[in-house]
Amino acid sequence: MRSWRTALRIAAREARRAKGRTALVVAMIALPVLALSYVVVNYDMFRLTPAEQADRRLGRADATLTWPTDAALHQNPAGTAWVGGGEPRATSPTVEAVRAVLPPGSRVVPLGETSLALRTAAGVGELPATVVDLSDPLVHGIAAIVRGRAPAGDREIAVSVDALHRLGVGLGGEVVSADGTRGYEVTGVVEFPAALLEMVVLPPSGAGSLPMADRWLVDTPQPVTWEQVEQLNRHGILVESRAVLLDPPSDPTYDPSADGTDPMVVGMGGLVGGLGMLEVVLLAGPAFAVGARRRRRELALVAANGGTPAHLRRIVLADGVVLGVTGAAVGIVLGIAAAFAGRPLLEEYTVQARAGGYRVFPLALLAVAGLAVTTGALAALVPAINASRQDVVAALTGRRGTVRSRRRWLVVGLLAAGAGTALAAFGASRVSATVMLVGLVLAELGLVLCTPSLIGLLARFGRLLPLAPRIALRDTARNRAAAAPAIAAVMAAVAGSVIVGVYLASDRARATAVYEPALPHGYVTAWYDGFAPPADPPTVEQVVATARDAGLAVGGAAQFHRAVCPPGTAENVSCGLTVEVPAGQACPYVPSTDLDAQDRRRAADDPRCGPPYRTFSGFLADPVVDDGSALPLLTGADPDDLRRAVAVLRAGGVVVTEPGLVVDGQVGVQIRRHDPRLPPDPDNGFAVVGTVRLPGYALTSGLATERTVYSPAAVDRLGLASQHLGFVLATTSEPTVAQEDRLREALGGLPGRPVPAVERGPGDSGNQAAILLAVAAGVVTLGAAGIATGLAAADGRADLSTLAAVGASPRVRRLLSLCQSGMIAGLGSLLGVVAGLTGALVILFALNEASGANWPYGDPFPVTVPWSMLAIVLGVPVVAMAGAGLLTRSRQPIERRIV
């Protein structure tokens, strides 16, 4: 213990004496600690506690109720999903009906969600609206007035900040409805902490006849227990109870895939944490390697005066402890400060929701600090062992010793890289995060062991280069003990960025794959309000001229229709058409909780069982009736494909997008009716009244959307009628929100008041944690590259002084530093890209294996390489070289030489 105290005292003294080197080492350790602390603190602030979640969802109420059906259902404890039930309720329950199923003395506050068409600064916009009394105490927590007062009269509203900007009014201003018949005074600015988006709030007296999705805030004499929730479920009522949210029961009868913690997510979290620890070790490695090299003479003097190899190891390891503690403290303080300072920006622009509060997650930060100290010691371990084995005479005379890499380390490195990759692939196939972590760590360490040999191999090409690059390659090869750790640090930083970048790109590609667009991106539909065409509908030319006047770049337009019941049909009867699925093409598995993991995996691998749960744009009716004029705009198919499809439509046929529906050039079309006099199909409420075979064609190009287009002749043959539904506009660029508002206002002046909707794609995936990791990884990559090359440059300062002494110009010395930095950062970036792509492929493969067992809820991740991000990552050497060139001194101090 006494020798450790002495070693720590020496380390502290050396840290004070070599302030520049200490600052670089502390920065290298603090940089990943800062990133981890930033992510940890933000995670804790934005991870709501159960009580905070209850306040966001329930306000001050004891529960919220939704009454979707009159048949018994079974919900999960959180009240976010349910199974069972029956036909949806035809009418919305009254407050009295809700109060009747609650304990005596309960109070009920209705809360409705709808939309409201208002005149905006640019035109007319459809804004989401909430109907609730903001002055009621039960609403506090769901929404709050931040300026002004709550609306009370039927001509008063409150709006959010985003809606205020879009409407172009201020507090106390007037907002007019789209048709100009009703005006509202803005009495307050409202904020919904759960969603900082556009929102308009009306009091119940101002809702009028607006359609609403109703739920009720309930204040009961006693907390609503799980037993009471189950009683309400028997009435078809879905309940979110504060008492149940704060103390959820175990519910083995509910499907676990719809609720709860995913073990795969936990395993992936451990995998990311393990790779992060390896990255910290590799980042801190060059710092201690350079420090040990610059202290070779000092350590040799200790050995010459009787110090044992154990003493030398402890002195170098003490550096790791002292600088690790310092780096941990600096990184955590800066990480907390950055998280607190950046919280408002994250709330407004990234998460779009308020954090739960300012907090720092002490246990996680303590773990980060322990990780920093531990990894600091581990990073100093190899330099400590090397220092204890150095040649004392060579160190005292200043000779470098051997510069050749032992072949066995190259062989061991190659074997480790290959075995690690194979082990990681095996772990991915078994969905074992532990095995994957061991394999990826082994593969990266194998690349580190290969680095000195790669440096030596590249140095052989130095004779083909000009003076400065040749000296840089030679010097890097002679100083492999310092260059290899620096390259490993850059490799680790780049690998982390590549893994996060590939995951984000693949997650975005998955969101796009499960999204079914109504139209090609940026195209616009304009359908009649209420799906009721006017007696004198506008022409295509009128709609195109109106759109161009609104600022849209319209390249083409067409009408589209839908199939309806023939004239004279009773009002309570509806008609529809469905393409029959041929025998053998239907999915043999039905999504239910009865499927075991093996059946779910078989269903995921069966091409007939595409994921039944998709996201839709939701503003284009299907099927569509068209003679071929609107087909190019509706599908985006290739010209040859369209030519064949139009020929089938003009022959009285049907065009589909699923090839399996067409057999021998024909499709079976089922005529369906929703008629109280006919027995309904239990799946959809429609009765099949006939099936007819018609010519069919399946598109092989265009949108990956399930769509059916019937020709007018086919609709006539099937005994139905065609109804003009609206227009589709092809645009050369996606319209802005302001342009859409202007278009809505302009179309409101045409007969039938067509309502526009723009196809904007799936939007963001919403993976905010991954975005934070990407930002942190990018900062660490740039910082690590700069610091690692800076440390290498500091180690070679004596050589620059020698060059100056023999007459080298400042330009040559600066070019030498630039080339050395490029060598280190370039090789590190290339190895990092290889390691990062390998890690990303392993992780995505494991996630896809896990998603197969979650069918139909899971969708596979397509492997997507973000080439633009890789180009930026490979630009890291350019940044490092520029920094080295700018920071190299024109005048170098003369270094003392031992001869």
Side-chain angles (χ1 to χ4, degrees):
M1 183 59 68
R2 182 177 301 172
S3 63
W4 270 108
R5 286 200 298 269
T6 303
L8 290 171
R9 192 163 60 248
I10 294 173
R13 182 197 65 190
E14 179 64 21
R16 290 191 298 269
R17 289 174 56 188
K19 293 183 177 62
R21 183 183 66 84
T22 299
L24 286 175
V25 176
V26 169
M28 187 65 94
I29 296 174
L31 191 61
V33 172
L34 185 155
L36 288 175
S37 301
Y38 176 81
V39 172
V40 162
V41 172
N42 274 307
Y43 171 78
D44 193 47
M45 289 194 296
F46 287 97
R47 184 192 58 175
L48 301 181
T49 64
E52 291 168 342
Q53 291 178 4
D55 288 342
R56 297 279 174 93
R57 292 290 301 164
L58 312 179
R60 296 293 182 265
D62 292 306
T64 63
L65 308 183
T66 306
W67 204 330
T69 177
D70 286 323
L73 55 84
H74 184 54
Q75 69 169 75
N76 64 339
T80 55
W82 51 277
V83 293
E87 288 286 329
R89 289 183 60 96
T91 59
S92 177
T94 63
V95 172
E96 290 73 19
V98 175
R99 191 181 292 117
V101 299
L102 295 173
S106 299
R107 192 164 71 90
V108 177
V109 175
L111 188 151
E113 296 175 357
T114 183
S115 61
L116 189 63
L118 299 171
R119 294 189 181 275
T120 66
V124 173
E126 191 86 15
L127 279 75
T130 299
V131 180
V132 70
D133 183 3
L134 289 174
S135 63
D136 195 295
L138 293 187
V139 182
H140 296 171
I142 298 176
I145 292 291
V146 294
R147 280 189 290 154
R149 62 173 178 84
D154 59 357
R155 295 299 181 102
E156 296 180 342
I157 60 172
V159 299
S160 65
V161 173
D162 286 355
L164 205 66
H165 294 158
R166 184 175 178 185
L167 294 170
V169 298
L171 188 63
E174 185 183 27
V175 177
V176 182
S177 62
D179 57 10
T181 60
R182 193 178 183 90
Y184 301 92
E185 179 188 356
V186 179
T187 64
V189 178
V190 67
E191 178 179 282
F192 286 75
L196 303 179
L197 304 171
E198 294 177 352
M199 182 61 68
V200 175
V201 179
L202 300 91
S205 60
S209 59
L210 289 173
M212 293 185 294
D214 292 315
R215 59 190 180 112
W216 293 267
L217 304 177
V218 175
D219 182 20
T220 56
Q222 299 294 329
V224 179
T225 65
W226 179 242
E227 290 74 18
Q228 291 174 304
V229 170
E230 292 180 318
Q231 291 176 6
L232 292 170
N233 285 167
R234 298 187 187 103
H235 295 279
I237 299 176
L238 188 66
V239 185
E240 291 181 78
S241 166
R242 182 182 300 275
V244 175
L245 288 174
L246 298 181
D247 186 19
S250 58
D251 185 21
T253 62
Y254 192 80
D255 182 10
S257 62
D259 194 69
T261 302
D262 187 353
M264 186 59 190
V265 173
V266 176
M268 288 297 106
L271 174 63
V272 172
L275 291 176
M277 181 175 180
L278 173 64
E279 183 170 333
V280 175
V281 172
L282 294 179
L283 287 175
F288 295 108
V290 171
R293 282 185 53 79
R294 294 188 67 83
R295 297 176 62 189
R296 288 179 71 230
R297 179 174 171 78
E298 177 186 335
L299 296 174
L301 287 173
V302 173
N305 284 276
T308 64
H311 289 143
L312 301 182
R313 285 194 297 270
R314 288 171 186 168
I315 291 173
V316 179
L317 285 173
D319 276 350
V321 174
V322 171
L323 298 179
V325 170
T326 306
V330 172
I332 288 175
V333 170
L334 293 179
I336 293 174
F340 281 7
R343 172 184 153 178
L345 296 177
L346 287 179
E347 289 176 337
E348 295 286 345
Y349 301 108
T350 303
V351 183
Q352 293 185 321
R354 294 296 179 197
Y358 285 100
R359 44 185 180 243
V360 297
F361 207 167
L363 290 179
L365 291 180
L366 185 62
V368 170
L371 173 67
V373 176
T374 302
T375 52
L378 290 175
L381 183 60
V382 173
I385 294 174
N386 290 337
S388 67
R389 294 178 178 177
Q390 70 177 348
D391 187 328
V392 175
V393 177
L396 289 174
T397 57
R399 296 195 298 270
R400 296 184 185 274
T402 180
V403 295
R404 294 182 59 85
S405 301
R406 295 182 179 178
R407 183 172 298 176
R408 66 184 182 188
W409 290 119
L410 175 62
V411 175
V412 171
L414 292 174
L415 290 176
T421 303
L423 186 61
F426 175 78
S429 65
R430 296 295 185 270
V431 200
S432 172
T434 302
V435 177
M436 291 164 56
L437 175 61
V438 173
L440 291 175
V441 169
L442 187 61
E444 285 202 33
L445 291 179
L447 290 178
V448 172
L449 292 176
C450 294
T451 302
S453 297
L454 288 175
I455 295 173
L457 179 63
L458 292 176
R460 296 182 179 180
F461 298 95
R463 64 179 182 273
L464 304 177
L465 300 175
L467 176 63
R470 183 168 69 249
I471 296 176
L473 275 176
R474 185 202 64 187
D475 192 64
T476 303
R478 292 176 60 224
N479 292 291
R480 298 181 199 183
I487 292 172
V490 177
M491 178 194 75
V494 170
S497 292
V498 170
I499 289 176
V500 174
V502 172
Y503 173 79
L504 283 175
S506 299
D507 185 54
R508 172 70 179 179
R510 182 177 69 157
T512 303
V514 301
Y515 176 78
E516 293 199 353
L519 299 169
H521 188 80
Y523 282 25
V524 181
T525 54
W527 40 271
Y528 295 116
D529 191 10
F531 301 102
D536 55 340
T539 64
V540 173
E541 291 75 15
Q542 286 179 296
V543 173
V544 170
T546 302
R548 287 174 176 166
D549 290 342
L552 274 70
V554 179
Q559 296 181 354
F560 63 92
H561 303 71
R562 67 169 177 170
V564 296
C565 294
T569 306
E571 292 185 358
N572 62 346
V573 176
S574 57
C575 305
L577 300 173
T578 304
V579 175
E580 185 179 43
V581 179
Q585 292 297 321
C587 177
Y589 302 96
V590 178
S592 69
T593 58
D594 298 330
L595 292 178
D596 57 24
Q598 191 173 10
D599 285 338
R600 291 180 188 272
R601 195 172 298 280
R602 291 196 189 100
D605 294 336
D606 194 325
R608 298 170 298 176
C609 301
Y613 302 114
R614 297 283 189 177
T615 55
F616 303 90
S617 57
F619 55 80
L620 183 64
D622 188 69
V624 174
V625 179
D626 179 53
D627 60 0
S629 58
L631 190 65
L633 285 68
L634 294 174
T635 63
D638 294 339
D640 290 341
D641 210 13
L642 286 171
R643 179 176 49 79
R644 291 188 288 268
V646 170
V648 171
L649 289 176
R650 291 177 178 172
V654 180
V655 173
V656 297
T657 55
E658 293 291 328
L661 299 178
V662 181
V663 178
D664 297 329
Q666 290 189 323
V667 296
V669 179
Q670 295 178 341
I671 307 169
R672 294 176 175 265
R673 293 173 69 92
H674 188 283
D675 192 330
R677 298 167 297 179
L678 299 176
D681 187 322
D683 291 335
N684 52 40
F686 281 74
V688 178
V689 297
T691 301
V692 179
R693 308 266 329 155
L694 295 172
Y697 178 78
L699 292 171
T700 59
S701 60
L703 300 177
T705 299
E706 292 184 8
R707 172 151 301 156
T708 306
V709 180
Y710 295 90
S711 63
V715 173
D716 291 340
R717 180 179 173 184
L718 296 170
L720 301 184
S722 297
Q723 183 185 63
H724 182 204
L725 190 58
F727 304 85
V728 56
L729 307 176
T731 60
T732 56
S733 61
E734 179 182 335
T736 64
V737 174
Q739 288 174 331
E740 184 180 357
D741 287 351
R742 287 197 295 269
L743 178 62
R744 186 185 299 271
E745 180 182 27
L747 291 176
L750 297 180
R753 302 177 62 87
V755 178
V758 180
E759 176 56 68
R760 301 189 184 278
D764 295 331
S765 63
N767 198 337
Q768 310 300 343
I771 294 174
L772 289 177
L773 284 175
V775 173
V779 172
V780 170
T781 298
L782 292 175
I787 296 173
T789 52
L791 286 168
D795 188 50
R797 190 172 63 181
D799 295 328
L800 293 178
S801 299
T802 302
L803 284 174
V806 298
S809 66
R811 178 178 176 275
V812 172
R813 297 197 304 271
R814 186 172 287 109
L815 187 58
L816 174 62
S817 296
L818 188 145
C819 293
Q820 287 176 327
S821 299
M823 174 75 175
I824 292 172
L827 186 55
S829 296
L830 289 175
L831 292 176
V833 169
V834 173
L837 290 176
T838 302
L841 290 175
V842 167
I843 292 173
L844 292 178
F845 184 79
L847 291 172
N848 289 340
E849 285 292 306
S851 68
N854 290 330
W855 185 89
Y857 303 102
D859 289 282
F861 286 84
V863 178
T864 306
V865 179
W867 297 109
S868 59
M869 189 219 60
L870 288 185
I872 294 174
V873 166
L874 293 178
V876 168
V878 178
V879 176
M881 293 168 68
L886 291 173
L887 297 178
T888 299
R889 296 180 180 179
S890 297
R891 297 179 178 274
Q892 292 285 340
I894 301 300
E895 296 279 340
R896 183 176 56 136
R897 292 291 188 179
I898 305 297
V899 295

